Amino acid sequence: MKRLLVALCIASTLTACSVNINKSKPQPQQSTSSGQQQTSGSFLKSINLASGATVVVEEGRLEPRSIGSVTVKLYRDLNVGDFAGGVSFTRDGTILKAVLIENGSDKQKLSITTVTAGSGNYQASQLICIKGDSIPLC
């Protein structure tokens, strides 16, 4: 009887260990040195401007990846949260890249490229003109 009880205890302990070993680990947040992050499949990137300001580009967090909005926020100083302005626009697809195509001390131009979902993989670009604290679509 004692052997049976010991065998049951050992079997239940080993079973519990095997369940814990096979648990999937949560995926860590990935980021690159350019400030781009992929969190839960959404696009998020910060870009430092020659003027000292920072632009943050992101897809809507609770939206589907294939359609939704893009938000571009301008911060005089991102470290203290000195928000200057922002702009949002619709997107059909996911953000492929966001790059500065002009980075002067008084005027900057940002290009945001999206790619549609599905077999077409059509790309579209939207330009954002930044001058001082103004951040309109070009």
Short mmCIF file of all heavy atoms in Angstrom, two decimals, residues 3-6 17-18 20 43 50 54 58 60 88 91 94 96 101 104 108 110-111 117 119 124 128 130 132-133 138:
data_model
loop_
_atom_site.label_atom_id
_atom_site.label_comp_id
_atom_site.label_asym_id
_atom_site.label_seq_id
_atom_site.Cartn_x
_atom_site.Cartn_y
_atom_site.Cartn_z
N ARG A 3 3.87 1.52 -1.17
CA ARG A 3 4.51 1.67 -2.48
C ARG A 3 3.55 2.29 -3.49
O ARG A 3 3.94 3.12 -4.31
CB ARG A 3 4.98 0.31 -3.00
CG ARG A 3 6.19 -0.19 -2.31
CD ARG A 3 6.66 -1.45 -2.97
NE ARG A 3 7.80 -1.98 -2.25
CZ ARG A 3 8.44 -3.05 -2.58
NH1 ARG A 3 8.04 -3.74 -3.63
NH2 ARG A 3 9.46 -3.46 -1.89
N LEU A 4 2.30 1.92 -3.44
CA LEU A 4 1.30 2.48 -4.34
C LEU A 4 1.12 3.97 -4.09
O LEU A 4 1.03 4.77 -5.02
CB LEU A 4 -0.03 1.73 -4.17
CG LEU A 4 -1.17 2.20 -5.07
CD1 LEU A 4 -0.81 2.01 -6.53
CD2 LEU A 4 -2.44 1.47 -4.73
N LEU A 5 1.08 4.37 -2.85
CA LEU A 5 0.93 5.78 -2.49
C LEU A 5 2.14 6.59 -2.96
O LEU A 5 1.99 7.69 -3.52
CB LEU A 5 0.74 5.92 -0.98
CG LEU A 5 0.44 7.32 -0.47
CD1 LEU A 5 -0.82 7.88 -1.11
CD2 LEU A 5 0.29 7.31 1.04
N VAL A 6 3.35 6.06 -2.79
CA VAL A 6 4.57 6.73 -3.25
C VAL A 6 4.57 6.83 -4.77
O VAL A 6 4.91 7.87 -5.34
CB VAL A 6 5.82 5.98 -2.72
CG1 VAL A 6 7.08 6.51 -3.37
CG2 VAL A 6 5.92 6.11 -1.20
N CYS A 17 5.09 18.61 -13.74
CA CYS A 17 6.30 19.20 -14.31
C CYS A 17 6.23 19.25 -15.83
O CYS A 17 6.63 20.22 -16.44
CB CYS A 17 7.54 18.42 -13.88
SG CYS A 17 7.92 18.63 -12.12
N SER A 18 5.73 18.19 -16.44
CA SER A 18 5.68 18.16 -17.89
C SER A 18 4.71 19.21 -18.43
O SER A 18 4.93 19.77 -19.48
CB SER A 18 5.31 16.77 -18.40
OG SER A 18 3.99 16.45 -18.02
N ASN A 20 4.14 22.19 -17.03
CA ASN A 20 4.82 23.47 -16.90
C ASN A 20 5.92 23.65 -17.95
O ASN A 20 6.15 24.74 -18.43
CB ASN A 20 5.42 23.62 -15.49
CG ASN A 20 4.36 23.83 -14.45
OD1 ASN A 20 3.27 24.29 -14.76
ND2 ASN A 20 4.67 23.47 -13.21
N PHE A 43 2.31 49.06 -35.71
CA PHE A 43 3.50 49.83 -36.04
C PHE A 43 3.64 50.99 -35.08
O PHE A 43 2.68 51.71 -34.80
CB PHE A 43 3.35 50.36 -37.48
CG PHE A 43 4.57 51.07 -37.99
CD1 PHE A 43 5.55 50.38 -38.68
CD2 PHE A 43 4.72 52.44 -37.80
CE1 PHE A 43 6.66 51.04 -39.16
CE2 PHE A 43 5.83 53.10 -38.28
CZ PHE A 43 6.80 52.41 -38.96
N ALA A 50 15.93 67.28 -37.03
CA ALA A 50 17.07 68.17 -36.92
C ALA A 50 16.77 69.35 -36.01
O ALA A 50 17.66 69.91 -35.38
CB ALA A 50 17.51 68.66 -38.30
N THR A 54 10.66 65.57 -31.88
CA THR A 54 10.50 64.15 -32.19
C THR A 54 9.11 63.91 -32.77
O THR A 54 8.13 64.49 -32.29
CB THR A 54 10.66 63.29 -30.91
OG1 THR A 54 11.93 63.56 -30.33
CG2 THR A 54 10.56 61.81 -31.23
N GLU A 58 2.27 56.00 -35.53
CA GLU A 58 1.70 54.74 -35.06
C GLU A 58 0.38 54.41 -35.74
O GLU A 58 -0.35 55.29 -36.15
CB GLU A 58 1.51 54.75 -33.53
CG GLU A 58 0.47 55.70 -33.04
CD GLU A 58 0.29 55.63 -31.53
OE1 GLU A 58 0.31 54.52 -30.96
OE2 GLU A 58 0.13 56.69 -30.92
N GLY A 60 -3.40 52.69 -35.29
CA GLY A 60 -4.35 52.63 -34.18
C GLY A 60 -4.21 51.33 -33.42
O GLY A 60 -4.21 50.26 -34.02
N SER A 88 -4.09 62.85 -37.89
CA SER A 88 -4.51 61.46 -38.13
C SER A 88 -5.15 61.37 -39.50
O SER A 88 -5.78 62.33 -39.96
CB SER A 88 -5.54 61.02 -37.08
OG SER A 88 -4.95 60.88 -35.83
N ARG A 91 -6.08 54.73 -43.23
CA ARG A 91 -5.14 53.87 -43.97
C ARG A 91 -5.88 52.64 -44.46
O ARG A 91 -6.80 52.15 -43.81
CB ARG A 91 -3.96 53.47 -43.09
CG ARG A 91 -4.34 52.60 -41.93
CD ARG A 91 -3.13 52.12 -41.13
NE ARG A 91 -3.56 51.62 -39.85
CZ ARG A 91 -4.06 50.40 -39.65
NH1 ARG A 91 -4.16 49.55 -40.65
NH2 ARG A 91 -4.46 50.03 -38.45
N THR A 94 -1.36 48.11 -43.91
CA THR A 94 -0.48 48.31 -42.77
C THR A 94 0.64 49.28 -43.14
O THR A 94 0.96 49.44 -44.33
CB THR A 94 0.15 46.99 -42.32
OG1 THR A 94 0.89 46.45 -43.41
CG2 THR A 94 -0.89 45.99 -41.89
N LEU A 96 4.15 50.20 -43.86
CA LEU A 96 5.35 49.50 -44.29
C LEU A 96 6.59 50.22 -43.76
O LEU A 96 7.52 49.59 -43.24
CB LEU A 96 5.39 49.41 -45.82
CG LEU A 96 6.53 48.67 -46.46
CD1 LEU A 96 6.51 47.20 -46.04
CD2 LEU A 96 6.45 48.79 -47.97
N ILE A 101 12.16 62.44 -45.59
CA ILE A 101 12.75 62.67 -46.91
C ILE A 101 13.32 64.09 -47.00
O ILE A 101 14.01 64.40 -47.96
CB ILE A 101 11.72 62.40 -48.05
CG1 ILE A 101 10.47 63.25 -47.87
CG2 ILE A 101 11.39 60.93 -48.11
CD1 ILE A 101 9.48 63.11 -49.01
N GLY A 104 15.48 69.54 -42.64
CA GLY A 104 16.15 70.80 -42.37
C GLY A 104 15.86 71.27 -40.96
O GLY A 104 15.00 70.73 -40.27
N GLN A 108 10.64 70.04 -42.20
CA GLN A 108 10.86 68.61 -42.40
C GLN A 108 9.70 68.03 -43.19
O GLN A 108 8.59 68.55 -43.14
CB GLN A 108 10.98 67.87 -41.05
CG GLN A 108 12.15 68.27 -40.19
CD GLN A 108 11.89 69.50 -39.36
OE1 GLN A 108 10.77 69.83 -39.05
NE2 GLN A 108 12.96 70.21 -39.01
N LEU A 110 7.97 64.14 -43.94
CA LEU A 110 7.92 62.74 -43.57
C LEU A 110 7.07 61.99 -44.59
O LEU A 110 5.99 62.44 -44.96
CB LEU A 110 7.32 62.61 -42.17
CG LEU A 110 7.08 61.22 -41.59
CD1 LEU A 110 8.42 60.56 -41.26
CD2 LEU A 110 6.23 61.32 -40.35
N SER A 111 7.54 60.83 -45.04
CA SER A 111 6.79 59.98 -45.95
C SER A 111 6.40 58.70 -45.22
O SER A 111 7.25 58.01 -44.65
CB SER A 111 7.64 59.63 -47.17
OG SER A 111 6.97 58.69 -47.99
N ALA A 117 -3.57 44.84 -47.62
CA ALA A 117 -3.65 43.42 -47.29
C ALA A 117 -4.15 42.67 -48.53
O ALA A 117 -4.75 43.24 -49.41
CB ALA A 117 -4.61 43.21 -46.13
N SER A 119 -3.64 39.86 -51.89
CA SER A 119 -2.66 39.45 -52.90
C SER A 119 -2.11 40.61 -53.71
O SER A 119 -1.09 40.47 -54.36
CB SER A 119 -3.29 38.42 -53.84
OG SER A 119 -4.41 39.00 -54.50
N ALA A 124 0.87 52.77 -51.03
CA ALA A 124 0.47 54.17 -51.13
C ALA A 124 1.32 54.96 -50.14
O ALA A 124 1.71 54.44 -49.09
CB ALA A 124 -1.01 54.32 -50.79
N ILE A 128 3.77 64.15 -44.87
CA ILE A 128 3.46 65.01 -43.74
C ILE A 128 4.51 66.13 -43.76
O ILE A 128 5.71 65.86 -43.73
CB ILE A 128 3.57 64.25 -42.39
CG1 ILE A 128 2.78 62.95 -42.41
CG2 ILE A 128 3.18 65.15 -41.24
CD1 ILE A 128 1.30 63.10 -42.50
N ILE A 130 6.22 69.27 -41.87
CA ILE A 130 6.39 69.77 -40.50
C ILE A 130 7.15 71.09 -40.58
O ILE A 130 8.26 71.14 -41.10
CB ILE A 130 7.17 68.75 -39.64
CG1 ILE A 130 6.48 67.39 -39.68
CG2 ILE A 130 7.31 69.26 -38.21
CD1 ILE A 130 7.34 66.24 -39.23
N GLY A 132 7.84 74.23 -37.84
CA GLY A 132 7.59 74.73 -36.48
C GLY A 132 6.75 73.74 -35.70
O GLY A 132 7.08 72.56 -35.63
N ASP A 133 5.65 74.22 -35.13
CA ASP A 133 4.72 73.35 -34.39
C ASP A 133 3.55 72.89 -35.24
O ASP A 133 2.63 72.26 -34.74
CB ASP A 133 4.19 74.09 -33.15
CG ASP A 133 5.26 74.24 -32.09
OD1 ASP A 133 6.30 73.58 -32.18
OD2 ASP A 133 5.03 75.05 -31.16
N CYS A 138 0.63 67.06 -46.43
CA CYS A 138 1.10 67.86 -47.57
C CYS A 138 0.15 67.72 -48.75
O CYS A 138 -0.45 66.71 -48.96
CB CYS A 138 2.47 67.39 -48.03
SG CYS A 138 3.77 67.63 -46.81
#
